[in-house]
Amino acid sequence: MAQHRYMLAEDRIPDRWYNIAADLPSMPPPPLNPGTGEPIGPEALAAIFPMALIEQEVSPERWIPIPDAVREVYAMWRPTPLYRAVGLEQALGTSCKIFYKYEGVSPAGSHKPNTSVPQAFYNKEAGVRKLSTETGAGQWGSSLSFACQHFGLECEVFMVRVSFDSKPYRRLMMETWGGTCIASPSELTNAGRTILAENPDSSGSLGIAISEAVEVAATNDDTNYALGSVLNHVLLHQTVVGQEAKEQLDMAGAYPDVVIGCVGGGSNFAGLAFPFLEDKIAGRDIRIVAVEPASCPTLTRGTYGYDFGDTAQMTPLLPMHSLGHGFMPPSIHSGGLRYHGMAPLVSHVVHTGLVEATSYSQVECFTEAVRFARAEGIIPAPEPSHAIRHVITEVERAKEEGVEKTILFNLCGHGHFDMAAYADFLGGTMQDLDVDEGELSRASEALAALPGIG
Amino acid sequence: MAQHRYMLAEDRIPDRWYNIAADLPSMPPPPLNPGTGEPIGPEALAAIFPMALIEQEVSPERWIPIPDAVREVYAMWRPTPLYRAVGLEQALGTSCKIFYKYEGVSPAGSHKPNTSVPQAFYNKEAGVRKLSTETGAGQWGSSLSFACQHFGLECEVFMVRVSFDSKPYRRLMMETWGGTCIASPSELTNAGRTILAENPDSSGSLGIAISEAVEVAATNDDTNYALGSVLNHVLLHQTVVGQEAKEQLDMAGAYPDVVIGCVGGGSNFAGLAFPFLEDKIAGRDIRIVAVEPASCPTLTRGTYGYDFGDTAQMTPLLPMHSLGHGFMPPSIHSGGLRYHGMAPLVSHVVHTGLVEATSYSQVECFTEAVRFARAEGIIPAPEPSHAIRHVITEVERAKEEGVEKTILFNLCGHGHFDMAAYADFLGGTMQDLDVDEGELSRASEALAALPGIG
């Protein structure tokens, strides 16, 4: 019987996170205080993050131990399966070996609980009562609600109004796990009230929701803020994905020639890729590819420099590829990839040439998502369909070059809450919604006034 | 670290199905031809089922080998996890040990692919081109679409009109896997046209949908029919669930005092329970409980006798507990449990006292579903919330009796496509919808004209 699925025993859940900072040939520049233009220190973050996470954010240590209490929650679904995509290989008629790590088996259906669980844990340890956060389509809000429920924290999620109204099922998931979900902009914060005063019918944005969640954390002593991507400690927590994948590929007697992940803020990509990037830095011949939507092409068409993490300019300036903090991406179905910026660590490794970046349009991604679903039985979330689309490119290139590659990608979530997107595609009404050139120019102009890098 | 999850390696996927017929102290009476009142032979089924499945339907053999091609598809998600419900035990403050087998990890999110895969395989082997079937909420239709896609069969699903209109996501799942989904009653069949002529606005019923699917199979040489529960061979295929659970409980050093499953047609219950019933028949002290909704209380309030499997009286007469083939169950969210009859094998073991039966109302089941989701992280489908509700009863009784029980139940599917039901519950609008006494009397009257048993 051809082996499809490589499973690890529960005691093989990694007991440490891998910190790429320890191995990078050079480090990204520091975040800056937008007022002074000076590097911000850890203490500036203490109002909204617990010290344990701030220490992880700036740690130079290669390995960070995973607390037992976190590993016990991970054990609900980790180690996740690594699949050999036998069905897809047959459907493509390729002699390449295709493997994928499947993070959709988590309670929330994506990789997000890998970081929501430790974030909730460290906040609980620090005596915090409540976490606030923002969410777009709801993947992160539901993951944080799950984790807060486990550790006995309250969870308040500001959900972009347009998603709150149109995607009730992820909101219900949050409520089932005991979280509170609020349409943003709301009357609960100054940021929200200001927006509503100007535009009572505002449909919201991720930038506004971040502002509301940060305000709640900054103005309440017993409340902290939690972020689902972008920051170093978030990427760190995701490295359980790549560590497990390496061990599972060993079981299969394989090692990848190319590692692929989709990128929005960068965390699922980094989680799979960074443990392999360690090998590349050590001299191993391996390619690593970050795949983004053509409607929000941060790495491929953005500017590498300093920008705000949010629209309302409340965050520190982060060193990253950005389309500009005022960029409004088209309403593609991959809500998790609609972010104007990128994790500083991911931006840095792309900027320094360790990692490649590419982009694809929405319709070609869904074409491959459906082919994948029919061949492999798993319906992908729209976000990882970008990774699947690039697998096809690699397979085609391998054929042209007459070589047999081993390809690994991260299937970071299932599409059970995205069937409306499949309806759009199968019904023939889906459009590419590639980035508008005028919007791209307008939004990037604001970057000229901010510090550059290098 | 407390162990939560017991996993088996891929080579531990069972290589044979367990046939309870080989061990029963007595056999259920045979199905009857409604015209003649005589037992029907296997040949009567040959127009709509392949011979391999008909042989399984009547086989006296204890073990039926599972074809390698079926095990290869099972390997996409099997063996499924067995969980120790550590979180639920803590939430309940019980010293009972609670375990659950989780079938929600399958591509379709339930136990149904355990039988859709072999059914598609045997039909493909027999040269069939297309399978037709009916579906209520869509669990079975999506599972059969998945299996047909794998084996290169066409799949035509008649979906009850009211669900077709109100639950588009499971229909989209069928279409994503290449299946065709038709609202029933339809213009494609005589049965459908007859209904529509009388009532152009008919919202359909499972009985009508069965009639349409059977008609398509019976009148097309290259088309067969597939059923998702009730029949012996369907229950047989589900026994991979209980076989794996036994081995996983061995890993945990445990054996259940009580085994629990929800029952609609009976297949997920039988799949978990029959391998344990084998032990009970051999003398082991174990209780087995079938749990049904108070709105469709087939085993607890139905009549044990002969009845038709469908509303339109097209099927053979089956020996089973029934509320009457004309019974219209209230519109509870557990669509998979809204069936007037019961698998003959399940009816027989309840009738002969080997298995207990009990029922619960909708609201108390969802109360426990939410408690479970918060404690265990997995959002249950409405159907297995009945099993969870009975776990609570067993825990309470254990406390009263001062004993520590080991409890095993089947979490036969996740609730990702049932979030509207959670909205109903969390919004405080859910009603119990227990069976209407008048409807119960009216529907059961028809049974008096049909043959009895015993």
Side-chain angles (χ1 to χ4, degrees), chain B residues 406-435:
Chain B
T406 297
I407 300 167
L408 170 68
F409 74 96
N410 198 2
L411 185 62
C412 61
H414 63 61
H416 297 172
F417 292 87
D418 303 286
M419 295 314 292
Y422 281 88
D424 190 14
F425 176 76
L426 294 169
T429 53
M430 182 177 282
Q431 298 186 318
D432 274 338
L433 302 176
D434 286 354
V435 66

Side-chain angles (χ1 to χ4, degrees), chain B residues 264-421:
Chain B
S267 74
N268 99 76
F269 168 79
L272 180 67
F274 280 4
F276 292 93
L277 186 54
E278 176 190 12
D279 298 349
K280 185 181 175 81
I281 291 169
R284 189 139 190 175
D285 184 20
I286 176 174
R287 290 173 48 234
I288 301 177
V289 185
V291 190
E292 60 187 11
S295 58
C296 192
T298 314
L299 288 170
T300 52
R301 303 198 58 196
T303 303
Y304 185 56
Y306 277 99
D307 196 9
F308 292 97
D310 69 325
T311 311
Q313 309 182 24
M314 292 179 69
T315 72
L317 287 168
L318 298 174
M320 61 182 179
H321 287 83
S322 177
L323 299 168
H325 56 268
F327 177 72
M328 284 296 288
S331 299
I332 53 169
H333 291 289
S334 297
L337 306 185
R338 294 176 69 240
Y339 183 61
H340 70 274
M342 182 56 62
L345 281 171
V346 173
S347 290
H348 181 71
V349 294
V350 169
H351 180 66
T352 55
L354 287 167
V355 165
E356 304 167 35
T358 188
S359 71
Y360 294 97
S361 298
Q362 180 161 256
V363 174
E364 59 185 334
C365 291
F366 270 86
T367 302
E368 298 310 328
V370 169
R371 170 149 62 179
F372 183 88
R374 291 180 182 179
E376 291 291 314
I378 298 172
I379 298 179
E383 290 83 356
S385 75
H386 292 77
I388 298 170
R389 175 61 189 84
H390 187 69
V391 168
I392 309 303
T393 297
E394 293 289 343
V395 164
E396 287 169 352
R397 282 188 203 154
K399 191 175 178 184
E400 286 166 16
E401 295 164 12
V403 297
E404 293 182 3
K405 287 182 204 166
T406 297
I407 300 167
L408 170 68
F409 74 96
N410 198 2
L411 185 62
C412 61
H414 63 61
H416 297 172
F417 292 87
D418 303 286
M419 295 314 292

Side-chain angles (χ1 to χ4, degrees), chain B residues 49-323:
Chain B
F49 293 116
M51 199 45 66
L53 290 176
I54 295 172
E55 284 168 7
Q56 291 180 2
E57 186 67 19
V58 297
S59 173
E61 297 297 321
R62 179 173 287 109
W63 300 106
I64 312 272
I66 304 178
D68 281 347
V70 170
R71 293 180 77 226
E72 283 201 24
V73 187
Y74 280 173
M76 287 183 180
W77 73 94
R78 302 210 73 84
T80 60
L82 177 87
Y83 282 90
R84 170 86 183 264
V86 177
L88 182 62
E89 290 172 19
Q90 288 170 353
L92 295 173
T94 181
S95 51
C96 289
K97 290 180 185 166
I98 305 172
F99 293 91
Y100 57 96
K101 184 71 169 163
Y102 183 41
E103 292 293 307
V105 296
S106 84
S110 77
H111 64 293
K112 293 287 186 190
N114 295 332
T115 185
S116 69
V117 171
Q119 289 193 50
F121 168 77
Y122 289 117
N123 275 288
K124 181 69 178 182
E125 290 281 295
V128 169
R129 189 181 64 80
K130 186 168 91 170
L131 289 182
S132 68
T133 198
E134 73 289 330
T135 200
Q139 284 271 11
W140 170 242
S142 55
S143 298
L144 192 66
S145 294
F146 157 74
C148 285
Q149 173 66 35
H150 184 85
F151 289 109
L153 291 169
E154 284 186 37
C155 183
E156 192 166 89
V157 183
F158 290 88
M159 188 173 186
V160 176
R161 162 66 77 181
V162 62
S163 296
F164 184 93
D165 290 338
S166 67
K167 299 186 176 177
Y169 289 171
R170 283 235 169 244
R171 167 165 60 85
L172 280 159
M173 214 172 174
M174 296 176 218
E175 291 171 356
T176 300
W177 281 323
T180 304
C181 185
I182 297 150
S184 168
S186 78
E187 293 284 353
L188 297 184
T189 65
N190 285 327
R193 284 186 293 268
T194 303
I195 299 284
L196 288 173
E198 291 169 11
N199 178 7
D201 298 325
S202 167
S203 60
S205 74
L206 207 51
I208 296 167
I210 293 176
S211 303
E212 291 205 277
V214 170
E215 181 182 323
V216 166
T219 56
N220 287 280
D221 280 349
D222 61 355
T223 302
N224 267 349
Y225 172 70
L227 192 64
S229 191
V230 178
L231 298 180
N232 299 352
H233 68 272
V234 180
L235 276 54
L236 174 81
H237 298 156
Q238 293 292 350
T239 58
V240 291
V241 177
Q243 291 182 69
E244 287 178 7
K246 275 181 140 175
E247 186 167 344
Q248 289 163 310
L249 285 170
D250 274 347
M251 293 166 66
Y255 189 89
D257 297 300
V258 55
V259 175
I260 301 167
C262 65
V263 281
S267 74
N268 99 76
F269 168 79
L272 180 67
F274 280 4
F276 292 93
L277 186 54
E278 176 190 12
D279 298 349
K280 185 181 175 81
I281 291 169
R284 189 139 190 175
D285 184 20
I286 176 174
R287 290 173 48 234
I288 301 177
V289 185
V291 190
E292 60 187 11
S295 58
C296 192
T298 314
L299 288 170
T300 52
R301 303 198 58 196
T303 303
Y304 185 56
Y306 277 99
D307 196 9
F308 292 97
D310 69 325
T311 311
Q313 309 182 24
M314 292 179 69
T315 72
L317 287 168
L318 298 174
M320 61 182 179
H321 287 83
S322 177
L323 299 168

